Amino acid sequence: MISYEITAFNEPLVRAERLAPTPTGTEVLVRVLAAGVCHTDVHTRSGSYDLGGGNALRMNERGIALPLTLGHEIAGEAVQGGEQVAASVLGKRYLVYPWIGCGGCEVCLAGQENMCAQPRSLGIFRAGGYSDHVLVPDSRYLIPIPDLAPEAAAPLACSGLTTYSALKKINPQTLARTPVVLIGAGGLGLMCIKLVKALGGRGALVLDINQDRLSAAAEAGALAVFDTSQPGVADAIRTAAGGAILSVIDFVGSVQTVELGMSLLSKGGKIQIVGLAGGEMRLPLPMLPLRALSIEGCYVGSLQELRELVELARAVRLTPVPTICRHLHEAEASLNDLEAGKITGRIVLKP
Ligand SMILES: [Zn+2]
Ligand SMILES: [Zn+2]
């Protein structure tokens, strides 16, 4: 088994060759067919999140142990199962739900494993998909994708699920009647534009600072796109909205983008912060009650939501975001390209 793993934070990934694990009990060994490269992987390799004010949240404080094989957007074929795995599971193609919890706490039992305090997420706390094989703890985390291409399905597990879950946290009437403002037209932003439409939303106003990404957003079906490096952009966005702005989703999550997003909100509006660019912000507290604003943090989504999303992707024939397929051995270069802002759409690694 060949894997690309972090052996030291803030250092290049290392190629590792070892025997593939033998599944026991409920475990399933999946042969990886496609693994998406996510910005979270760039953060994990760096070893910390920027908390602002010179402070950082270190990955080892989050319980991330090395060596770690990255990759949480995984599609593949089940090739071997433990003694409790039904034979009918094997030989088929699946999207893997990676946001696995302890399985035993109240939160997990309520179906919110992505919110578990003892996470076992693949590619973050356990070996992930930057490999030719990955061990999945239970077949219930495998969602059949008989009619989806692995490279199109893989990004659904993070960029798709995160945006789907965020959109579901917006009142459906609000989504149908008012445009949602999306900050950042990377892999998540582009996916979100498509999902806004698939969920019957009015549409997306998309903000970025990169012309290629803005063009991709326009192509993906944005109502309008805005270069936030230009002066007077906030007024232009309000004009294009043609009414109240009640929903902003920030896929960047920097001080500048959150401040811009908050300034755009009408009374009663909500900003959802998804991105982890980092920093800290000052907030005039009376403005929250006076303007009835909400700030919500979003972290991926539940297993049930991923099942719904795969169903939706099939039903509406969701076209994938622009996908760049690369060989697994380009994992390190792919993280570097993503970090440098050179990528439009999603890189998918294939062994
Ligand atoms: Zn991700
Ligand atoms: Zn749990």
Side-chain angles (χ1 to χ4, degrees):
M1 179 170 96
I2 290 164
S3 309
Y4 285 80
E5 51 187 39
I6 302 172
T7 56
F9 290 120
N10 217 6
E11 295 286 338
L13 301 183
V14 172
R15 181 183 186 276
E17 203 168 339
R18 57 171 71 89
L19 283 175
T22 304
T24 61
T26 60
E27 292 172 342
V28 182
L29 186 67
V30 170
R31 183 168 68 85
V32 177
L33 297 171
V37 178
C38 176
H39 219 102
T40 293
D41 300 334
V42 174
H43 288 301
T44 307
R45 182 184 62 168
S46 79
S48 64
Y49 290 110
D50 175 14
L51 297 180
N55 299 312
L57 171 63
R58 296 191 200 292
M59 295 298 164
N60 46 3
E61 291 163 9
R62 276 192 77 207
I64 293 175
L66 302 183
L68 170 70
T69 302
L70 290 170
H72 50 265
E73 294 186 341
I74 310 162
E77 183 190 343
V79 290
Q80 201 184 347
E83 53 285 0
Q84 292 173 49
V85 176
S88 59
V89 168
L90 305 181
K92 294 176 184 141
R93 289 185 170 191
Y94 300 95
L95 177 63
V96 180
Y97 177 78
W99 311 110
I100 297 170
C102 72
C105 72
E106 293 284 316
V107 177
C108 285
L109 294 175
Q112 297 291 326
E113 290 197 44
N114 55 307
M115 293 291 137
C116 177
Q118 264 98 44
R120 298 184 291 162
S121 313
L122 303 180
I124 295 178
F125 296 99
R126 290 184 153 211
Y130 285 17
S131 178
D132 44 29
H133 287 81
V134 64
L135 193 64
V136 179
D138 194 291
S139 62
R140 67 193 214 91
Y141 302 115
L142 302 178
I143 300 169
I145 47 162
D147 48 0
L148 293 177
E151 59 273 19
L156 294 177
C158 177
S159 55
L161 179 60
T162 302
T163 52
Y164 178 73
S165 185
L167 289 171
K168 283 197 68 181
K169 293 183 183 86
I170 297 174
N171 179 316
Q173 286 191 350
T174 301
L175 192 64
R177 289 181 186 164
T178 61
V180 47
V181 173
L182 307 181
I183 306 179
L188 275 76
L190 294 178
M191 181 75 83
C192 196
I193 295 166
K194 291 168 185 288
L195 287 176
V196 168
K197 290 175 117 184
L199 290 170
R202 165 96 178 273
L205 304 173
V206 182
L207 285 45
D208 205 295
I209 50 171
N210 175 293
Q211 280 307 323
D212 290 341
R213 288 198 294 268
L214 288 171
S215 302
E219 220 158 278
L223 293 175
V225 299
F226 302 88
D227 181 348
T228 51
S229 63
Q230 299 299 314
V233 72
D235 287 336
I237 297 163
R238 286 190 195 97
T239 304
I245 295 177
L246 296 173
S247 320
V248 173
I249 307 180
D250 185 351
F251 294 113
V252 180
S254 70
V255 177
Q256 293 85 350
T257 58
V258 174
E259 281 180 351
L260 172 62
M262 300 255 332
S263 75
L264 289 171
L265 286 176
S266 307
K267 271 191 178 178
K270 174 163 79 172
I271 181 167
Q272 295 172 292
I273 303 174
V274 174
L276 287 157
E280 63 178 344
M281 65 182 280
R282 289 169 65 87
L283 194 62
L285 294 177
M287 299 315 284
L288 288 183
L290 289 174
R291 293 173 60 206
L293 300 182
S294 306
I295 303 174
E296 188 172 52
C298 297
Y299 184 68
V300 301
S302 69
L303 176 57
Q304 176 56 27
E305 285 175 327
L306 187 57
R307 289 199 185 105
E308 289 169 17
L309 175 60
V310 169
E311 207 44 57
L312 180 72
R314 277 209 193 110
V316 303
R317 295 181 188 280
L318 192 73
T319 50
V321 299
T323 304
I324 305 156
C325 287
R326 291 185 176 175
H327 192 274
L328 174 61
H329 69 233
E330 293 178 86
E332 169 67 16
S334 298
L335 288 179
N336 294 338
D337 288 347
L338 189 60
E339 186 171 31
K342 291 181 187 166
I343 301 301
T344 301
R346 207 60 160 171
I347 300 173
V348 173
L349 300 174
K350 295 182 142 203

